[in-house]
């Protein structure tokens, strides 16, 4: 079995003194002037953010809603995101996943084996079987929603 996610995070923090998690909420309406609002612009924007923060970031947290809103091209961009990151960086899939057992198992498979996330955000509202499939591999992690910033 591989190294635990907790150990990987500690090594990143020790080696790079990096404690920042950069959210990747790609909203084409908020791109800087000169960056197109299409998929090419989205990739340009992502690469610019990653390049500007790579030496300071221990993790990146793409919000799936923004990628999926771009359709199939957005999903492909999300699928390639790992290729843009420094090798030792943690990738957290932010979707607040959480559904009944067999559906949660499919989400966990997608998150960890298709999208290559190291960790995910989870919503525990549906109960333990909604989060259990995400907790079976110590090399992967989960951040479980317990309090939000919204009123």
């Amino acid at each position: 079995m591989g190294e635990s996610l907790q150990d990987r995070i500690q090594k990143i923090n020790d080696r790079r003194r990096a404690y920042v998690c950069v959210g990747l909420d790609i909203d084409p309406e908020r791109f800087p002037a000169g960056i197109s609002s299409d998929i090419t612009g989205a990739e340009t924007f992502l690469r610019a953010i990653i390049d500007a923060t790579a030496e300071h970031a221990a993790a990146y947290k793409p919000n799936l809603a923004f990628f999926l809103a771009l359709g199939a091209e957005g999903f492909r961009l999300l699928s390639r995101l790992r290729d843009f990151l420094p090798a030792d960086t943690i990738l957290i899939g932010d979707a607040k996943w959480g559904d009944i057992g067999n559906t949660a198992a499919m989400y966990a498979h997608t998150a960890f084996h298709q999208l290559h996330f190291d960790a995910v955000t989870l919503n525990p509202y549906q109960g333990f079987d909604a989060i259990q499939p995400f907790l079976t591999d110590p090399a992967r992690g989960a951040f479980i929603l317990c309090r939000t910033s919204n009123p």
Side-chain angles (χ1 to χ4, degrees):
M1 192 168 277
E3 186 175 32
S4 76
L5 180 65
Q6 183 175 347
D7 288 342
R8 288 177 52 215
I9 291 170
Q10 187 63 53
K11 283 182 180 179
I12 291 167
N13 291 341
D14 290 346
R15 183 175 51 250
R16 293 175 41 205
R17 298 317 238 180
Y19 304 98
V20 174
C21 177
V22 176
L24 299 174
D25 301 352
I26 54 168
D27 183 351
E29 293 181 12
R30 300 181 73 184
F31 288 170
I35 296 181
S36 63
S37 61
D38 59 9
I39 197 68
T40 301
E43 183 171 336
T44 299
F45 179 73
L46 277 173
R47 287 179 179 264
I49 295 297
I50 292 166
D51 289 347
T53 60
E55 71 179 270
H56 306 288
Y60 287 89
K61 185 177 64 70
N63 185 309
L64 273 66
F66 291 94
F67 288 83
L68 298 179
L70 298 172
E73 291 178 322
F75 184 84
R76 282 191 290 277
L77 180 58
L78 182 62
S79 298
R80 294 184 297 117
L81 187 56
R82 167 72 65 204
D83 298 336
F84 308 158
L85 303 177
D88 64 344
T89 306
I90 303 299
L91 184 59
I92 304 166
D94 185 14
K96 283 82 170 178
W97 315 76
D99 206 332
I100 62 171
N102 64 341
T103 305
M106 289 295 107
Y107 282 137
H109 176 79
T110 299
F112 297 140
H113 301 287
Q114 300 298 320
L115 297 172
H116 309 289
F117 295 143
D118 298 296
V120 294
T121 59
L122 298 176
N123 182 340
Y125 182 74
Q126 294 287 344
F128 184 72
D129 70 329
I131 61 174
Q132 189 279 331
F134 295 90
L135 306 177
T136 61
D137 181 356
R140 308 292 186 183
F143 295 88
I144 300 173
L145 181 69
C146 61
R147 184 173 180 176
T148 69
S149 58
N150 55 316

